[in-house]
Amino acid sequence: ENYTLENGTTDAEDPLPRPEEIEIETVDLYRHDEEQAYVTLMSQEVKSLNFAAEENYTVRLCKELVAYHYPDELPLGSFELLASNKIRSDEETLGEVFNGDEYYCDRPDEAEDPDFDWKPRKEQVFSDKMLMQLSIWKKEWDEETKSYEPVDLSYMPYGKELTKQWKKLGYLDGKNMLRDEGELIAEGKITDPDKIADYRKREGLTSTLRETHLIRKKDALEAAGEIENKDDVDEALAWLQRHKEKDYNAALKLQGRRAEGEEVEVEEEEPEPDDPDVEVYVCEPPPLRGM
């Protein structure tokens, strides 16, 4: 299916030029020409390419233009072109890329943040002939497969290299966060005997701290991860008393009430600030000097 241009013609009637036929400038320019649209292909690897463009120019043509001018640094297949925080496909035209759509972004779940009302910025519109930019994103070379890795724009919470490594091993979930260690062991993704034994010790210690000493799960897990001997209850309690004194003392009070026959429950989560049962003391600021 042919793409209809602003002037009413189709891409079939208005064939694309060859890369060597397109005049370029290797400086970052801001141009607003009412008669002619300009596009900049930006890169940190090489000098940017700035050129007059038509809306039927494809992403593929832009890639060929990059490879024509930088055959050694950026051969075809070694990079992607990005706009609006998205990797653009070879078949897309500049008129389709620059259409005023919002930039892609991860939006929080309404249940997590019902007050979220931030609107992402919008892409340029080709017909406005404002300066349009595509980012040249170089791919990483994988020595094991002897090929370029696909560009990964996802969040890297553990740093680029560690996140990539754990992702390949299947340790991360859809949001690139570490999955539960027990699940990874059950699935056979963690097979190191020492790591498995260490996990079992921490699991047993956490259970003892919660059931016997009424420590919150998050505090028990933190203590189990911090102490040297992963199954030493006394060392864990000493760590909690030193680093989580408030929570440790709260657990002691619960133990005392349970010892007197009262049925107690450990509150795993912090109470909400607007909880009517939580008394909040607001401290007024001191008066300014001289007032």
Side-chain angles (χ1 to χ4, degrees), residues 56-205:
N56 69 325
Y57 284 15
T58 61
V59 170
R60 173 72 184 186
L61 174 59
C62 294
K63 287 183 174 180
E64 290 173 350
L65 186 62
V66 172
Y68 174 76
H69 288 282
Y70 301 113
D72 297 327
E73 301 91 336
L74 293 166
L76 281 175
S78 70
F79 64 94
E80 297 286 1
L81 292 181
L82 278 65
S84 316
N85 293 341
K86 292 187 290 188
I87 298 172
R88 313 312 301 222
S89 68
D90 286 0
E91 297 75 22
E92 286 183 282
T93 65
L94 296 182
E96 292 168 331
V97 170
F98 299 106
N99 62 359
D101 281 353
E102 292 182 347
Y103 275 45
Y104 173 78
C105 68
D106 289 324
R107 296 174 178 272
D109 191 327
E110 275 194 32
E112 294 179 9
D113 189 358
D115 297 325
F116 179 81
D117 61 357
W118 176 78
K119 301 294 183 185
R121 63 175 289 192
K122 292 185 177 182
E123 189 53 86
Q124 300 280 23
V125 177
F126 192 93
S127 59
D128 291 343
K129 296 184 172 61
M130 307 293 283
L131 177 67
M132 292 160 279
Q133 298 175 336
L134 285 158
S135 296
I136 303 170
W137 200 281
K138 190 170 176 63
K139 297 179 179 178
E140 299 281 346
W141 178 259
D142 190 326
E143 285 294 341
E144 292 182 10
T145 62
K146 301 298 180 184
S147 63
Y148 288 107
E149 295 180 348
V151 171
D152 187 354
L153 301 178
S154 59
Y155 176 48
M156 302 282 185
Y158 309 106
K160 183 178 178 181
E161 294 305 320
L162 196 54
T163 300
K164 284 171 56 179
Q165 178 185 341
W166 284 351
K167 197 169 189 176
K168 284 184 178 180
L169 293 171
Y171 290 0
L172 307 181
D173 60 18
K175 294 184 177 180
N176 279 1
M177 302 304 293
L178 270 173
R179 297 169 55 201
D180 180 75
E181 194 173 356
E183 289 181 6
L184 297 176
I185 291 173
E187 293 176 9
K189 288 183 167 53
I190 294 178
T191 57
D192 185 299
D194 292 335
K195 289 184 178 180
I196 295 174
D198 185 79
Y199 171 76
R200 300 298 181 206
K201 288 179 180 179
R202 285 185 281 114
E203 190 178 39
L205 174 62

Side-chain angles (χ1 to χ4, degrees), residues 233-279:
V233 176
D234 291 335
E235 185 181 354
L237 291 173
W239 186 92
L240 286 163
Q241 186 177 16
R242 184 166 59 254
H243 297 283
K244 297 277 186 178
E245 184 179 2
K246 179 181 175 182
D247 300 305
Y248 176 80
N249 290 336
L252 287 180
K253 289 180 181 179
L254 283 178
Q255 293 173 45
R257 287 163 52 190
R258 184 178 60 180
E260 294 175 358
E262 183 180 344
E263 185 175 332
V264 296
E265 182 178 348
V266 178
E267 289 190 13
E268 295 290 354
E269 301 295 333
E270 297 286 355
E272 294 295 330
D274 58 353
D275 190 327
D277 295 329
V278 176
E279 183 178 346

